Amino acid sequence: MDTRQLETFLAIIQRGGFAAAAKEVNLTASAVSQQISALETDLGTALFDRSRRPPALTTKGREVQAAARSILRIVADTKAAIEGEDVGGTLALGALRTCGTNILPQALSQLKDSYPDLRFRLAIGQSEDLMADVVSGQLDAALVADNVAVPPGLQWTLVFTEPLVILLPCGYPGKNLEELARDMPFVRYGIRVPLARQIDTEIARLGITVQQVMSVNTMSAVVGCVQAGLGFAIVPYAALRGLQTSSLKWFPFGATPIHRGLGIVQHPESRRAKVLKRLSELLQLGGNVTDDREHRHHDDA
């Protein structure tokens, strides 16, 4: 048994099958099967029920899953201690798409000033997937929203909050959601993500019916559709950071303005605790929404 086998084993669980795991660990499907067969031989037990599609963990496989995560974490911590990688090496981070294009890169640039030997690997995805990668040890930490449950064994620390805003073309005179829903189509952000469910829940609570023009799976595309005059949208403030927004205006969403929290999720005893604490401080500074800017656009609306 070696750590590569354990990494492959966890990749199969995470990605839902042998073929998907092969892409993750950069092996052929047959090599993945050979590694798992060798691991099962060493342990003297079957880890997967291969009669099911996709293969399901056996009872012993679930026990090995927890042990594999612990072993790989111990190995990583030992290497870091020997090589001094707590402030060097590669920091593997995950982030939501809205944070990965502006807020997080700026914080990483500042973090590099404090830790010049540090390198970064950044994964962009949805909160649930990113947290699963932190659980499995593929990521050191992730910047995720507070609208999903945190898996056992991880801790989530709030970094900053940001408002959800109603976004519309600058020339449109609408001043509230009810007017917009009556007169303009609604550009909906990916209906299967937690943020979209949060928005839909509040719209329903307000008793407002929207006329949908399209569903878009990236926030930048949502903003682009609004800029093109295709309708209005509801987005987190992060979607507007770094954009030239002279063609847009916005105002708070919700009877009481709704905010979402963004925070760092990590293992409580992470070997990167010192670096992640500094990253959290930088994100907090960069994530604050300036009242003057928000109110100026609110007044324009």
Side-chain angles (χ1 to χ4, degrees), residues 232-282:
F232 76 96
I234 299 169
V235 302
Y237 186 82
L240 307 179
R241 293 177 183 272
L243 296 180
Q244 295 296 324
T245 55
S246 58
S247 61
L248 298 168
K249 61 181 180 180
W250 60 87
F251 51 87
F253 168 59
T256 299
I258 293 177
H259 289 69
R260 71 168 180 174
L262 291 161
I264 294 287
V265 63
Q266 65 187 86
H267 288 284
E269 303 301 325
S270 172
R271 73 186 191 277
R272 298 293 200 176
K274 181 167 72 171
V275 173
L276 293 174
K277 182 176 184 295
R278 178 56 181 156
L279 176 61
S280 295
E281 293 169 350
L282 293 170

Side-chain angles (χ1 to χ4, degrees), residues 142-190:
L143 180 61
V144 299
D146 60 356
N147 49 18
V148 293
V150 178
L154 298 184
Q155 69 177 24
W156 181 87
T157 304
L158 177 67
V159 175
F160 63 89
T161 60
E162 64 174 2
L164 299 185
V165 299
I166 298 171
L167 185 67
L168 64 156
C170 198
Y172 191 80
K175 292 184 180 295
N176 59 59
L177 180 58
E178 190 171 7
E179 288 183 16
L180 292 172
R182 184 181 63 240
D183 299 336
M184 290 189 78
F186 177 50
V187 181
R188 185 187 300 274
Y189 175 55

Side-chain angles (χ1 to χ4, degrees), residues 32 57 59 70 74 81 106 148 182 200 227 253 262 274:
V32 167
L57 281 173
T59 300
S70 296
I74 291 170
Q106 289 182 0
V148 293
R182 184 181 63 240
D200 287 347
Q227 284 180 309
F253 168 59
L262 291 161
K274 181 167 72 171

Side-chain angles (χ1 to χ4, degrees), residues 53-123:
R53 291 290 179 270
L57 281 173
T58 63
T59 300
K60 291 295 184 183
R62 285 191 291 273
E63 294 175 4
V64 173
Q65 178 184 11
R69 288 171 176 164
S70 296
I71 291 169
L72 290 176
R73 202 153 45 237
I74 291 170
V75 170
D77 289 347
T78 302
K79 286 182 178 179
I82 293 172
E83 299 172 9
E85 288 191 351
D86 58 327
V87 293
T90 300
L91 181 66
L93 294 171
L96 298 173
R97 192 178 301 274
T98 49
C99 300
T101 57
N102 185 273
I103 300 172
L104 185 56
Q106 289 182 0
L108 293 181
S109 176
Q110 294 172 292
L111 187 65
K112 186 75 172 175
D113 293 337
S114 300
Y115 303 109
D117 294 331
L118 200 60
R119 299 184 299 275
F120 306 109
R121 177 166 63 84
L122 181 58

Side-chain angles (χ1 to χ4, degrees), residues 126-128 131 144-151 156 193-195 197:
Q126 296 182 18
S127 292
E128 297 99 325
M131 288 192 290
V144 299
D146 60 356
N147 49 18
V148 293
V150 178
W156 181 87
V193 300
L195 175 62
R197 293 195 292 270

Side-chain angles (χ1 to χ4, degrees), residues 177-246:
L177 180 58
E178 190 171 7
E179 288 183 16
L180 292 172
R182 184 181 63 240
D183 299 336
M184 290 189 78
F186 177 50
V187 181
R188 185 187 300 274
Y189 175 55
I191 57 176
R192 293 184 178 86
V193 300
L195 175 62
R197 293 195 292 270
Q198 181 182 9
I199 292 170
D200 287 347
T201 297
E202 178 64 11
I203 290 175
R205 194 187 69 78
L206 293 171
I208 293 174
T209 301
V210 295
Q211 47 177 319
Q212 181 175 327
V213 63
M214 65 178 65
S215 176
V216 186
N217 64 1
T218 69
M219 195 59 72
S220 59
V222 170
V223 175
C225 288
V226 176
Q227 284 180 309
L230 292 176
F232 76 96
I234 299 169
V235 302
Y237 186 82
L240 307 179
R241 293 177 183 272
L243 296 180
Q244 295 296 324
T245 55
S246 58

